[in-house]
Amino acid sequence: MTKELDWSNLGFAYIKTPFRYVAKFRGGKWSDGELTTDDTVTISECAGVLQYAQTCFEGLKAYRTEDGRIVTFRPDLNAERMAQSAARLEMPVFPEDRFVCAVERVVAANRQFVPPYGSGATLYIRPVMFASSPVIGVKPAEEYEMRIFCTPVGPYFKGGAKPITIRVSDFDRAAPRGTGHIKAGLNYAMSLHAIVDAHANGYDENMYLDPATRSFVEETGGANFLFVTKDGTVVTPKSDSILPSITRRSLCYVAEKILGMKVEHRPVRLSEVKDFAECGLCGTAAVISPVGKIIDHGEEICLPSGMDEMGPVTKKLYDTLTGIQMGRLPAPEGWVREIK
Ligand code: PLP
Ligand code: COI
């Protein structure tokens, strides 16, 4: 049974669902982990997460397929990235197989909140790990909590597939050799002022540049870029300080191996963006959100695909990826896992 919610009008906002998974790291090992209905956390005021932002998270979705099954998309890659994030932040790694299993338990327990096929909504799953024991000197904590909860969501950008307008940001997101390549909470705290300022000035998102030279495109606050050249090549920016998006890696595979397109993953100069035919933001939350206009300090870069709809290549990629996720198209081996 699916809950009666106004699925087609959901925004990207938190709705509490009944069950979440909790495991605790104490005395050097992870507890067995269990489902609980308690959505609250009690920790010391001096907990590592509160003092020094020792926390990382993940984001993935569960989908209702055309034939009514519930599936997740490549959760093993989220498990792997969470392990990389934890290691970089001196946090204990949560075993990858247990991560996938726990995600499945949470989705199964909250199955009535998996939105119906075709509603435009999905179930967003948020694994999060944080330092729960006190630290006052700057050092890693000794105890940690891993939680996985979920919430039904609609499109990340209001208007869904409508092209958005972004600006080149004067703020930087992640330093070279810093933490841009992991999903650390601190990267997002850093971006809050920039996004509030962007919204206040009428922009939907920020395009961050490489902080060292400010001449290469990095990513936005919550998605990687994907460009299409006028001759139909898919180009995605390469940098050590952007998050290795699972959506972007999947789209590049789809473009190359399924659609037979040319794909380039390479540094992308801001100066070449005006020559692209299409631009999109890709990520779990964003799926592919088309970008119609980029403002670089008063100078407008208008993508030829325009402000009314997605460009044709972006659309093809979008249809193929969501087709795989919703079971309309065959999935490459191991990409889709059914929740029983
Ligand atoms: N870049 C950033 C900064 C993100 O927060 C996200 C979201 O997870 C992405 C890119 C997209 O990554 P993925 O496709 O794995 O969701
Ligand atoms: C995601 O796409 O899963 C993200 O984490 C992006 C955003 C909600 C921060």
Side-chain angles (χ1 to χ4, degrees), residues 87-217:
R88 176 65 175 78
L89 295 170
E90 292 297 334
M91 302 169 81
V93 165
F94 192 73
E96 294 177 34
D97 52 338
R98 286 187 60 189
F99 176 104
V100 173
C101 190
V103 163
E104 292 181 349
R105 282 177 70 185
V106 172
V107 176
N110 294 292
R111 62 173 66 242
Q112 79 218 66
F113 285 88
V114 182
Y117 173 79
S119 63
T122 48
L123 187 74
Y124 185 71
I125 306 155
R126 172 55 61 87
V128 57
M129 192 201 292
F130 52 88
S132 52
S133 62
V135 283
I136 196 72
V138 179
K139 63 175 185 190
E142 300 204 328
E143 296 180 357
Y144 296 84
E145 190 162 322
M146 169 83 180
R147 297 181 79 94
I148 303 177
F149 61 87
C150 62
T151 175
V153 295
Y156 193 66
F157 294 104
K158 269 205 293 293
K162 266 266 184 248
I164 58 170
T165 300
I166 66 174
R167 70 162 183 195
V168 175
S169 175
D170 284 331
F171 301 103
D172 293 328
R173 193 187 88 93
R177 296 173 290 280
T179 55
H181 62 300
I182 59 162
K183 221 163 155 57
L186 61 93
N187 294 338
Y188 299 81
M190 291 267 293
S191 74
L192 295 177
H193 178 61
I195 193 65
V196 169
D197 189 63
H199 287 163
N201 285 285
Y203 305 106
D204 297 302
E205 252 296 355
N206 287 296
M207 169 185 272
Y208 292 105
L209 303 180
D210 77 293
T213 71
R214 301 195 59 78
S215 51
F216 292 94
V217 175

Side-chain angles (χ1 to χ4, degrees), residues 1-7 10 15-20 35 37 62-64 68-71 104-117 119 121-124 150-153 339-340:
M1 266 288 285
T2 304
K3 271 261 174 244
E4 298 273 329
L5 285 182
D6 188 5
W7 299 112
L10 289 187
I15 296 172
K16 188 174 139 188
T17 57
F19 297 100
R20 66 275 300 122
L35 291 180
T37 54
Y63 307 84
R64 179 85 60 177
R69 293 173 299 125
I70 297 171
V71 298
E104 292 181 349
R105 282 177 70 185
V106 172
V107 176
N110 294 292
R111 62 173 66 242
Q112 79 218 66
F113 285 88
V114 182
Y117 173 79
S119 63
T122 48
L123 187 74
Y124 185 71
C150 62
T151 175
V153 295
I339 310 277
K340 298 284 186 191

Side-chain angles (χ1 to χ4, degrees), residues 59 81 173 183 188 219-224 243-248 282-285:
R81 194 170 61 190
R173 193 187 88 93
K183 221 163 155 57
Y188 299 81
E219 59 175 326
T220 69
N224 283 182
L243 192 78
S245 159
I246 295 161
T247 313
R248 186 253 302 159
C282 56
T284 299

